[in-house]
Structure formats: C-alpha cells, structure tokens
Amino acid sequence: MVKKQLKSDVIIIGAGISGLLTALALTKEGKKVIIIEKSKILGGNARSYDISGFRVDTGVHAITSTNEGPLFELVEKYFDKKPKYLPHGEYYIRTKDKLVQMPWTINEWRKIDIFPQKDKLIMLGLLTKNIVKTTITKKESKESVYDVIKIYSLTDNSMRFIDMLCYLLTGESMRETPAWRITKGAGYISENKIKKIEMLYMIKNLFRFNGSTVQGYPKGGIGTITNALIKSIPIDKIQYLLEEQVTEIITKNNKAIGVETEIGTYKANTIVYSGFMKDLPNLTDSLPQDFKNKLKKIKQTESLTIWLGLKKPLHWFNYKGSEMWYEDGEYFWAMPVSNYDLDLAPGGMQLVGFTFIIKGDKKEFEKKAEKTIYKTFPGIEKQMAMKHIQITIPEKAAITKDTFFPNPKSPIDNLYLVGTDTDYRSMGLTRAAYSVIEALNYMRQDNVITNDDKINEK
C-alpha cells in the first residue's frame, strides 16, 4: 500500500481539548494545521452526547475561572462565539442526615456541625499554616496530606472527609496527595507565582473566600465549549485526520520534522503532541533517557461516572451546585445538571451525574459505586428512567507527591507538549488551557508564532 503524504506548517497529535485549543490558536495566527486523532470523535472528555433523550457530558464538569484565567483568555482572543456559563451555585457536603454548604471561611468552619470542635480547630490551623508555608517558601513540598495530619488525633469521620477531598482534587488518596494541593486546588492560594506581600491577601481568603463563586456550568453541556471552539477554527487552515493512529514522531538531528501513521507520512516544521505524556517514548527514540525515566513517574487515575435519568425531580437534588459524599461506601462528587438547563432532560425529568475515582477492579468498583448511590438515596432506583456508565481518565496526570510534569518545550527541537499532564495548575479544561498558553508562549520565543501579543497567565 502506498502511503499518503502531506505537508503542513503544524501537525498536532490528538484532538482532545488541549489539541483543539492549540489548533484554534495556531490557525488564527495564520498557520496551516493537520490534526491527527486516533478515535472518530473530536473533543476527548470535553463533549456531550444523547442517551435516551438525556444530554450527558463526558464526566461531571464545573468550569473554574469563567471570567478570568487561561481558558477565559483563550476564548476572548480566539473564539468567534463565546460559550455561555451559568453560575455553579454552592458546593455541598452530604451526610446521612442533611445537606450542608461546604465551609470556606473561618466563620463558616466554626458554624458547621458535622465535625467535632477539636477537629475543626486542627483543620483550620493546618489550612492557615499551609497557606503561610506555601506562600513564603514558594516550594511545592513532597510532604503528603497524610504526613501532615497523622500526628493529630482526628476522628475517623474527619479523616474520611479529608481523604475524599484529596481524591476529588487529585485522583489519589491523602497518602499520595501533596499537602500544597489542598490550598492551591481549592483556590485559597494562587496557582501562579506570587509576591510575599500577597500572603496577606491569601490569609484574607480565610475570612471572605467562596470557591464556588468562580465556577460555572456551560449552558447546553460541556460539549458547547468544544463545539464553539471547532466552529471558530478557520476551515481553510485545518485538516482533520480521524481514526488514524500516530506510530512515530519523525526526527532528524534532534529536530521533529513529521509523523508516521499506518497509512500516511506527514511533514511539518512544528509538531505538537497532546497525547498521554507517559506514552511519548513509544513514538520516538530521540528523548534523553533521564527524561524518559521522569515520564514513567506520571500516574493516572480512572474515574467512573454514573448518569441517572430520573422520572421526576427528586427532593435530594433541589439545588444548583454540586455535592460531595464521604461517610459510607465510595466517595463521589455529584451534580444535578438539568437544574441548570432543563433541555438536558426530557420534559419533567431530571439528570444527575455521579463521579467516582476508581479503586481496584473496575467491575467490582462499579457495583460498590452503585450500591453507595442506592444506599445514600433510598428508593432512587425506582425513579430511574435511564442509567449510563462512563469510564474516563479525567486528568492525564494525577497530582501526587512524586509525579513529574514535563515542560511544554520538549527536549526535541520543534516538538511541543500540551495537556493536563504538562501543567498541574487548576483542573480540567482550565488546566488544559494553562498548558496551551504556556506552549504558545514558548512558540513565540522560538518564532513559530511571529505575533508577539503574549497571553498573560492570570
């Protein structure tokens, strides 16, 4: 079979949200782009689709920093039509007895009654200490959350709550989650470098902060962001090659010059890789051994999302926002998304997504997860009109105490790296956007992009 051959300015490997955002920026900067995707769909985890009349997202999503930050900056600069966000509402903690708002400030922590007074004082003290320590040293210690709290006699209930937060913020337990991730991941500390004087501002967050106010849900579902992105890409500058697997990144004299697939050879002056970084060594022999060893440190976690289409709105989910469960069974994060947009469910029905971090055997865990839902919401199975299961990798790298995040400028010339395994700031689409902005700024330095209108990382 004769392989097809094409040339372009840029080749992007992978059409998830990171690859698509990069393609949008580069085409708007005048570059011709070929994007190669092994599946038959665009968008990766940032898409929505129909199941029995319900519109489900690929995983449960809340978008951080909808009016500032990296995704906002990319949307403002490159999107022809901007997605519309609806206010997220509150974060809630569900217990056997009630639903309570997540405490953010010192006063809210004092008032919450699901933890003993002693535990609340310890947790507040550790939170304040971590803010000061991380702000002053600006170093991301490998000390785990468990390492920090193990010397204190917290109740099992409080320990489970902290462990649940770690799983939701990083995909790993408190034994693997670095302590700094709690304060940065929850938004108490800026993800970017800050001056010491700004420590006072961070401490003020303990008196006035509300992490839910900077988040939103995209009207119509997460796929509306991807759809708006794709429609913004100039059609004369982009070529999509779907269901095509890249088998090799072609290099010459330590420069990336193209890629091979089973059916084609494609050449370009710039290559952008947005696949799993841990798989990058399988595509090229040109990486330094030390770099390859570091890539092996990258850990991934899988998530299970169970979407339930309910015959009618249930009293448990009479709110806008999301909730966390930690008391019995498996931890989950849940969101009644049709409360934001009635069109996501058939008339009079309700759509709720439950996301779990998978531990152990997938099939056995799925049973445990369903059992947790049915036990937490007695009788909910009788109200089910639809059940849909998804297994995804929500972030391409879990943030653990010893993981590695490669620089977007790879050790191979002309090869740039984007994705949630190249930048640990924030989560989800915002984290992907951070990586894209970082890569674009390196491309400006290397004159891949001649426009010097650098995007600021807020």
Side-chain angles (χ1 to χ4, degrees):
M1 181 182 73
V2 178
K3 284 191 172 185
K4 60 180 178 180
Q5 297 190 14
L6 296 171
K7 292 187 71 174
S8 189
D9 297 325
V10 182
I11 294 171
I12 298 174
I13 303 169
I17 194 65
S18 302
L20 289 173
L21 282 170
T22 307
L24 171 63
L26 291 176
T27 53
K28 285 294 183 81
E29 298 288 353
K31 300 295 181 182
K32 289 188 176 181
V33 173
I34 293 174
I35 190 163
I36 305 173
E37 167 58 46
K38 63 183 178 181
S39 73
K40 60 183 179 181
I41 55 173
L42 301 173
N45 288 340
R47 59 190 181 89
S48 307
Y49 54 92
D50 293 330
I51 296 290
S52 302
F54 294 87
R55 187 76 174 164
V56 302
D57 295 329
T58 307
V60 176
H61 292 268
I63 309 300
T64 56
S65 302
T66 54
N67 59 354
E68 63 176 3
L71 184 59
F72 173 81
E73 294 293 326
L74 289 170
V75 169
E76 287 293 303
K77 184 167 185 179
Y78 295 117
F79 278 52
D80 294 335
K81 184 179 180 180
K82 300 171 187 176
K84 182 178 180 181
Y85 300 104
L86 303 166
H88 169 270
E90 294 292 340
Y91 275 96
Y92 294 95
I93 303 167
R94 185 174 292 280
T95 71
K96 295 183 183 73
D97 304 317
K98 56 190 172 183
L99 197 65
V100 298
Q101 286 189 16
M102 172 72 183
W104 298 99
T105 67
I106 287 177
N107 282 337
E108 289 170 354
W109 272 101
R110 286 173 177 164
K111 293 176 183 178
I112 195 169
D113 60 359
I114 61 175
F115 307 112
Q117 183 68 15
K118 177 181 72 72
D119 286 13
K120 290 191 290 184
L121 291 174
I122 291 171
M123 288 190 279
L124 263 176
L126 291 173
L127 181 60
T128 305
K129 181 180 177 181
N130 199 22
I131 288 175
V132 174
K133 180 179 178 181
T134 307
T135 306
I136 290 178
T137 63
K138 298 184 181 178
K139 291 181 180 179
E140 283 143 7
S141 169
K142 292 184 178 181
E143 189 177 38
S144 74
V145 172
Y146 180 75
D147 292 335
V148 172
I149 67 174
K150 66 183 179 182
I151 62 173
Y152 301 94
S153 299
L154 292 172
T155 61
D156 289 344
N157 182 61
S158 297
M159 291 288 278
R160 279 186 64 87
F161 174 75
I162 294 170
D163 195 42
M164 176 270 295
L165 287 179
C166 291
Y167 270 109
L168 296 185
L169 285 171
T170 71
E172 292 287 346
S173 74
M174 60 183 174
R175 293 176 181 272
E176 290 294 318
T177 299
W180 58 262
R181 182 61 180 168
I182 293 292
T183 45
K184 282 194 174 182
Y188 286 103
I189 292 180
S190 170
E191 297 279 3
N192 298 316
K193 295 179 180 178
I194 60 175
K195 299 176 182 178
K196 290 183 181 179
I197 196 170
E198 291 182 86
M199 183 184 71
L200 295 175
Y201 172 78
M202 302 304 171
I203 296 296
K204 281 184 180 179
N205 277 345
L206 287 174
F207 294 91
R208 65 182 185 183
F209 182 64
N210 187 331
S212 61
T213 60
V214 296
Q215 299 197 349
Y217 182 77
K219 182 173 175 57
I222 193 70
T224 60
I225 298 176
T226 301
N227 292 342
L229 192 169
I230 293 170
K231 290 177 181 178
S232 299
I233 298 176
I235 59 175
D236 61 332
K237 297 288 186 181
I238 190 76
Q239 187 170 357
Y240 299 102
L241 304 180
L242 302 181
E243 296 184 271
E244 197 163 343
Q245 176 82 51
V246 172
T247 56
E248 180 186 356
I249 296 175
I250 306 167
T251 61
K252 184 177 182 181
N253 299 325
N254 200 50
K255 287 185 178 181
I257 60 172
V259 303
E260 288 271 1
T261 72
E262 291 182 351
I263 63 173
T265 301
Y266 311 105
K267 297 293 183 69
N269 294 326
T270 302
I271 312 296
V272 179
Y273 177 73
S274 73
F276 292 142
M277 294 303 143
K278 68 183 186 65
D279 294 338
L280 183 58
N282 298 332
L283 299 181
T284 176
D285 295 326
S286 299
L287 293 170
Q289 187 60 47
D290 178 62
F291 187 77
K292 289 191 284 187
N293 291 339
K294 289 179 179 178
L295 291 179
K296 292 178 182 178
K297 291 184 176 183
I298 295 176
K299 294 183 180 180
Q300 292 179 324
T301 55
E302 290 182 307
S303 73
L304 166 74
T305 297
I306 300 177
W307 288 100
L308 297 185
L310 304 172
K311 297 175 184 177
K312 63 180 181 179
L314 301 181
H315 68 277
W316 293 300
F317 310 114
N318 184 28
Y319 63 84
K320 286 185 180 178
S322 57
E323 65 174 79
M324 299 169 283
W325 169 261
Y326 72 98
E327 286 193 330
D328 283 334
E330 305 299 333
Y331 310 135
F332 65 70
W333 177 47
M335 183 183 290
V337 295
S338 59
N339 288 6
Y340 298 103
D341 188 344
L342 295 177
D343 291 337
L344 297 178
M349 296 188 180
Q350 189 173 41
L351 177 63
V352 185
F354 302 81
T355 287
F356 303 76
I357 298 299
I358 296 175
K359 293 171 281 184
D361 179 78
K362 294 178 187 177
K363 286 294 182 184
E364 285 302 313
F365 185 84
E366 184 179 321
K367 293 176 184 177
K368 293 178 182 178
E370 288 193 53
K371 184 178 179 181
T372 299
I373 294 173
Y374 300 152
K375 187 176 181 180
T376 306
F377 307 99
I380 193 173
E381 62 268 35
K382 297 177 182 178
Q383 298 297 327
M384 287 166 42
M386 179 275 292
K387 181 179 75 172
H388 181 61
I389 304 294
Q390 298 167 339
I391 294 179
T392 60
I393 297 175
E395 307 281 13
K396 294 193 289 183
I399 299 176
T400 59
K401 60 184 181 179
D402 60 351
T403 195
F404 170 68
F405 286 83
N407 194 298
K409 185 176 170 64
S410 82
I412 300 173
D413 292 339
N414 304 343
L415 176 62
Y416 299 88
L417 312 175
V418 296
T420 55
D421 44 5
T422 68
D423 204 304
Y424 58 74
R425 289 171 289 180
S426 194
M427 301 175 73
L429 271 67
T430 304
R431 187 166 157 191
Y434 267 123
S435 78
V436 171
I437 287 179
E438 190 77 12
L440 291 173
N441 288 335
Y442 274 109
M443 291 182 202
R444 286 187 178 87
Q445 292 178 18
D446 297 340
N447 292 319
V448 174
I449 303 173
T450 55
N451 180 356
D452 62 359
D453 185 15
K454 183 177 178 180
I455 298 178
N456 295 316
E457 296 177 41
K458 295 183 178 180

